[in-house]
Amino acid sequence: MDNFEIMAFSNSAINRPLLFALYFFIYLVGLLGNIIIIACVITDLHLHKPMYIFLGNLAAVDMILTTSTLPKLMDILLTGNNTIFYGECFAQLCFYTFTAYTEATLLSFMAYDRYVAICKPLYYHLIMNRRHYMLCLMGIWMFAAFNALFITLIMWQIKICHSNKIQHFFCEIKALNRIVCANIRLHLILYLEIILLGLFPFLLSVTSYIQIISIILRIPSTTGQKKAFST
């Protein structure tokens, strides 16, 4: 099989040029906004702190995600040709998997950073020093890249049984899983991915914010509570 067909708007009577213009505007605004965030974090020395460094990395991840998915969608809307080549599809899968894990993990580390800042302020500069958060960032990006390549290679090896029509607006793992041959190993890997790369970062974020709210509510003064919530 040389290509797939993206079927997200195949049965829609919507004005495709109008939809293209809308997505193009959203893409440009998002791209410009993320570039401004990254530029501010890099150039302003006052923003060289873990929270803003994580935010800059989150903006970079968002740029990778939108650039790997929206341009192809806009091309489909503009030309009406909903074909996507095999290699392009798996490139989208790889970048989407990479950005999804990176974003989830970055958000959980941002929550942990706020937990340390509020609940352990005296130890903040010891725990979240430059060496520690840079190692965290390197680990997140490297592991996300390895995991994305691992998932993409597994999906590449599985045969397509049902159809070459993808009921989505880009190639992502759930959409591809609907058209591949039944594979127990793939299902086990996907369940492990959900638990390890989805549930754990989510629980870290939730636990951090529960601890933060619990600590803040125990502050006796209203002024202290407002200051902590602001942080």
Side-chain angles (χ1 to χ4, degrees):
M1 186 179 295
D2 295 327
N3 55 60
F4 296 102
E5 291 183 35
I6 303 293
M7 306 302 293
F9 299 103
S10 60
N11 297 320
S12 176
I14 196 167
N15 190 322
R16 287 174 179 258
L18 180 62
L19 199 58
F20 164 81
L22 176 63
Y23 275 109
F24 185 67
F25 175 75
I26 292 172
Y27 176 65
L28 285 184
V29 170
L31 199 63
L32 181 61
N34 286 317
I35 289 173
I36 291 172
I37 290 172
I38 294 170
C40 288
V41 172
I42 291 174
T43 57
D44 192 340
L45 295 179
H46 296 94
L47 300 183
H48 290 187
K49 299 175 182 178
M51 181 176 68
Y52 299 108
I53 298 294
F54 285 135
L55 184 62
N57 278 262
L58 201 62
V61 169
D62 190 56
M63 287 175 60
I64 296 171
L65 174 62
T66 54
T67 303
S68 64
T69 55
L70 285 184
K72 181 59 182 179
L73 174 62
M74 290 187 290
D75 175 67
I76 292 172
L77 291 171
L78 193 63
T79 65
N81 180 13
N82 65 342
T83 299
I84 182 170
F85 292 112
Y86 203 75
E88 289 178 326
C89 183
F90 281 95
Q92 278 193 343
L93 171 65
C94 186
F95 280 110
Y96 176 75
T97 306
F98 168 71
T99 53
Y101 171 70
T102 308
E103 185 171 354
T105 312
L106 279 172
L107 288 171
S108 66
F109 269 87
M110 290 173 75
Y112 178 73
D113 172 71
R114 294 300 85 200
Y115 160 76
V116 176
I118 294 172
C119 301
K120 300 181 183 296
L122 298 178
Y123 296 97
Y124 180 77
H125 293 291
L126 179 64
I127 297 173
M128 298 300 293
N129 61 52
R130 180 179 176 83
R131 180 175 178 272
H132 287 172
Y133 73 73
M134 290 303 292
L135 285 174
C136 285
L137 285 173
M138 288 174 61
I140 290 170
W141 284 86
M142 289 174 65
F143 187 80
F146 172 80
N147 178 68
L149 288 172
F150 173 69
I151 292 295
T152 304
L153 287 173
I154 287 177
M155 294 298 296
W156 182 280
Q157 295 170 1
I158 297 175
K159 294 181 179 180
I160 307 298
C161 285
H162 304 294
S163 169
N164 70 332
K165 300 182 187 301
I166 297 174
Q167 302 297 330
H168 210 298
F169 63 89
F170 70 99
C171 294
E172 58 97 28
I173 196 161
K174 289 186 292 185
L176 286 172
N177 191 39
R178 297 190 189 101
I179 63 175
V180 299
C181 305
N183 189 294
I184 296 176
R185 185 182 67 166
L186 174 62
H187 291 158
L188 289 174
I189 290 172
L190 292 181
Y191 284 130
L192 286 174
E193 288 275 313
I194 292 170
I195 294 172
L196 295 176
L197 310 182
L199 183 61
F200 282 178
F202 171 73
L203 290 177
L204 177 59
S205 297
V206 170
T207 304
S208 296
Y209 282 114
I210 288 174
Q211 290 293 325
I212 288 170
I213 294 171
S214 175
I215 291 291
I216 290 175
L217 292 178
R218 292 205 293 267
I219 297 174
S221 68
T222 305
T223 304
Q225 287 184 353
K226 288 181 178 179
K227 184 177 179 181
F229 269 122
S230 175
T231 302

